[in-house]
Amino acid sequence: MSLRQTDRERLKPLLSHLRQRFGPYVFISGYEQDTKTVSLGIEIHEMIVDHSKEDKSTMNYISIEDVASLTWSQPSGKVKTSGLTLPQFTKKVEERYTSITERSHKALLPSLYKKLVTIPDVDVNMRPLRKILVGITRNGKFSPEELGRPPEKAEQVHNYFVLLSDLHYIKRENGGYVAGQGMKHLEATELEPYQLYQHILADVLREYSPYLKEVMRWTMITPFLRWCHSYYRPALSANSLLQLEQGELNSYYTMFYGPWHVSHDESQIDSIVQAKILAYPKGQPFIHGYQPILDEYLENARKDPMLDTVLFPRGN
């Protein structure tokens, strides 16, 4: 459905009609002349705020192509369209924007795993895994019964051991569990116990994030990831660390996730600061981030063809 210059001229009346109906930032991203079918895209405007610069705000433009399609005709000179309503188009735009956000999460997460597992709320959910690892490290062996969970939690307990076994950190032996090759390899590197546990728990988050949320119902990571993303995603667009006020960070959270998801829980921001994902110096009005996190996020986003196309302007 490529759009040629001759098509653009032919479709000018249609484009004018579409912008009146679907919004001023709609554009035609493709055209099939034989079937009179056009593909619609939309340009989303994102304000990037940065108090470290004299010009505190700039605009970032995100073009999303092929959001939806419709057919059109022009009998007696009047444009008519069919196959797409405004609510349908709005829903498809929201779905595509959500998809971009989800893929952006995946690009950001690798630089956060080891830091996220130090957040107390996240650690509470992961404590059974830590207890298993500590037991094996200290005593050479650990059994499911030692977790002290009631019988009705048997399936949950089983899942803990499955996660660590699948990653080869532990293995079953003589009715209990002992160190697997993965743990032995880490122990050989002479990591401190705390670092070893942190590494393994981060690996669990890395490899099993969907499983943890969908099967084990561990949703504790979600608000923390959203706050991190609400800072680093605009920073990615600006290609530099930003200085933001708390209210501006809240606004980004609302933009990416909707107002119904915003939780003005300052303890969550404080936990993220303590984990050294964001910095909020005492007595300072601005939140800022860390360059190594942004650099790794940028590298990962560039590897995703969809993010590379949508988030970065051509030629950059």
Side-chain angles (χ1 to χ4, degrees), residues 47 82 117 164 225 261:
M47 182 73 74
S82 62
V117 296
L164 295 173
L225 175 59
H261 285 305

Side-chain angles (χ1 to χ4, degrees), residues 154-171:
E155 182 178 355
Q156 186 182 63
V157 170
H158 174 72
N159 288 337
Y160 295 144
F161 288 91
V162 167
L163 285 174
L164 295 173
S165 297
D166 285 352
L167 292 171
H168 305 291
Y169 287 119
I170 65 174
K171 65 178 180 179

Side-chain angles (χ1 to χ4, degrees), residues 53-68:
K53 297 181 179 179
E54 185 175 346
D55 185 1
K56 294 180 181 178
S57 62
T58 56
M59 192 68 71
N60 183 49
Y61 303 97
I62 296 180
S63 293
I64 307 177
E65 299 185 350
D66 303 329
V67 174

Side-chain angles (χ1 to χ4, degrees), residues 2 5 58 75 99 117 126 178 192 205 221 224 253 286 294 304:
S2 58
Q5 184 59 39
T58 56
S99 177
V117 296
M126 305 200 77
V178 299
E192 292 293 327
L205 279 183
I221 193 175
F224 298 103
Y253 197 117
F286 303 122
L294 180 60
D304 184 314

Side-chain angles (χ1 to χ4, degrees), residues 133-185:
L133 297 171
V134 169
I136 291 175
T137 302
R138 290 180 179 174
N139 306 313
K141 186 178 180 181
F142 195 87
S143 66
E145 292 75 20
E146 291 180 82
L147 279 178
R149 297 299 173 95
E152 59 268 24
K153 298 287 187 179
E155 182 178 355
Q156 186 182 63
V157 170
H158 174 72
N159 288 337
Y160 295 144
F161 288 91
V162 167
L163 285 174
L164 295 173
S165 297
D166 285 352
L167 292 171
H168 305 291
Y169 287 119
I170 65 174
K171 65 178 180 179
R172 192 165 181 81
E173 185 176 284
N174 297 327
Y177 288 83
V178 299
Q181 287 300 315
M183 187 185 292
K184 289 179 180 178
H185 175 73

Side-chain angles (χ1 to χ4, degrees), residues 112-125:
L112 304 184
Y113 289 120
K114 290 184 180 180
K115 298 179 183 296
L116 287 170
V117 296
T118 68
I119 293 176
D121 287 1
V122 178
D123 180 66
V124 165
N125 281 95

Side-chain angles (χ1 to χ4, degrees), residues 98-110:
T98 298
S99 177
I100 292 170
T101 298
E102 289 173 350
R103 294 177 77 136
S104 182
H105 281 177
K106 292 180 181 179
L108 176 61
L109 260 174

